[in-house]
Amino acid sequence: DTGVSQDPRHKITKRGQNVTFRCDPISEHNRLYWYRQTLGQGPEFLTYFQNEAQLEKSRLLSDRFSAERPKGSFSTLEIQRTEQGDSAMYLCASSPTGVETQYFGPGTRLLVL
Amino acid sequence: AQSVTQLGSHVSVSEGALVLLRCNYSSSVPPYLFWYVQYPNQGLQLLLKYTSAATLVKGINDFEAEFKKSETSFHLTKPSAHMSDAAEYFCAVGYTGFQKLVFGTGTRLLVSP
């Protein structure tokens, strides 16, 4: 039974560069979520998809952030013109429709220098 | 609006001692409540959840939590701590029809021999 996977696990980039993260949810989970976790804090919701439709975005998701789930399977989160404040752990989770439990991946840790 | 308060950013116990991690929530509708555990540089693993069935919920690794509506609490307990329980614990709240989870700031459990 494969869990949620995320790639890469770690990313170091320079300020101003673009980065893209990938999330593969548990097979047949049609809901997919992105969260951001900064040091010493709990995860904060960014956005979620029902199949390929992006149904909610947090105010934390500035114009520099974009998320896609083109075929309702894997998802990508892109950050353009990264800033040092973007340094965080980016977590992906998935769930079946109608089930409230979200299953989390291992996260992608981003460091912006 | 939903919110979660975890009292105590750090809790220290001796191996074999009782573990008590506190969580209070605020929700205008009947909530779903979760405890997740996070080991260093890893994602979140579900420990247990409350979804309006039994108020005493049992989870993995002998953890349990009791939902107390009158106190708006969902404290996590374990009768006897193991060294392997040392980790960060997060309480989260959600509810039907609102897909994001709202997390507390976490409690780091330290277990000494």
Side-chain angles (χ1 to χ4, degrees), chain B residues 28-39:
Chain B
S28 55
V29 296
Y32 294 134
L33 292 159
F34 305 84
W35 276 99
Y36 284 89
V37 61
Q38 186 177 37
Y39 295 97

Side-chain angles (χ1 to χ4, degrees), chain A residues 36-45 91, chain B residues 6 90 103-106:
Chain A
R36 183 174 69 185
Q37 184 180 20
T38 53
L39 279 176
Q41 300 297 317
E44 295 174 290
F45 171 80
L91 294 163
Chain B
Q6 291 185 243
F90 292 95
F103 286 85
T105 52

Side-chain angles (χ1 to χ4, degrees), chain A residues 9 31 33 35 37 40-43 45 48 56 89 91 99-107 109, chain B residues 32 34 36 38 41-46 49-51 88 90 98-106:
Chain A
R9 294 291 309 277
R31 287 185 174 164
Y33 313 81
Y35 291 81
Q37 184 180 20
Q41 300 297 317
F45 171 80
Y48 103 95
E56 186 176 351
M89 173 84 91
L91 294 163
V99 174
E100 61 287 339
T101 302
Q102 297 180 17
Y103 298 89
F104 284 81
R109 184 170 292 282
Chain B
Y32 294 134
F34 305 84
Y36 284 89
Q38 186 177 37
N41 296 314
Q42 295 188 26
L44 279 72
Q45 179 184 1
L46 180 69
K49 64 181 181 183
Y50 166 77
T51 56
E88 188 94 21
F90 292 95
F98 193 61
Q99 302 312 321
K100 73 178 186 182
L101 294 180
V102 176
F103 286 85
T105 52

Side-chain angles (χ1 to χ4, degrees), chain A residues 21-68:
Chain A
F21 309 141
R22 177 180 169 124
C23 171
D24 287 87
I26 294 171
S27 179
E28 299 179 354
H29 281 193
N30 42 21
R31 287 185 174 164
L32 185 148
Y33 313 81
W34 285 100
Y35 291 81
R36 183 174 69 185
Q37 184 180 20
T38 53
L39 279 176
Q41 300 297 317
E44 295 174 290
F45 171 80
L46 291 178
T47 188
Y48 103 95
F49 293 83
Q50 171 85 26
N51 299 312
E52 66 275 10
Q54 188 174 17
L55 297 185
E56 186 176 351
K57 293 195 291 186
S58 163
R59 294 174 206 170
L60 293 175
L61 217 62
S62 75
D63 292 345
R64 297 184 296 105
F65 288 70
S66 62
E68 294 183 342

Side-chain angles (χ1 to χ4, degrees), chain B:
Chain B
Q2 297 176 309
S3 65
V4 174
T5 301
Q6 291 185 243
L7 294 175
S9 58
H10 292 80
V11 170
S12 295
V13 299
S14 299
E15 193 172 20
L18 171 72
V19 174
L20 171 61
L21 304 182
R22 299 178 186 274
C23 172
N24 288 86
Y25 70 91
S26 172
S27 177
S28 55
V29 296
Y32 294 134
L33 292 159
F34 305 84
W35 276 99
Y36 284 89
V37 61
Q38 186 177 37
Y39 295 97
N41 296 314
Q42 295 188 26
L44 279 72
Q45 179 184 1
L46 180 69
L47 277 177
L48 49 79
K49 64 181 181 183
Y50 166 77
T51 56
S52 76
T55 57
L56 182 62
V57 180
K58 295 187 182 299
I60 62 172
N61 300 334
D62 294 328
F63 282 97
E64 64 180 38
E66 186 172 8
F67 172 70
K68 292 187 177 180
K69 184 178 179 180
S70 61
E71 298 177 7
T72 60
S73 69
F74 191 57
H75 302 330
L76 181 71
T77 60
K78 179 172 180 176
S80 176
H82 293 170
M83 296 295 289
S84 60
D85 295 327
E88 188 94 21
Y89 291 80
F90 292 95
C91 182
V93 63
Y95 62 90
T96 302
F98 193 61
Q99 302 312 321
K100 73 178 186 182
L101 294 180
V102 176
F103 286 85
T105 52
T107 297
R108 182 168 298 279
L109 177 65
L110 306 170
V111 183
S112 56

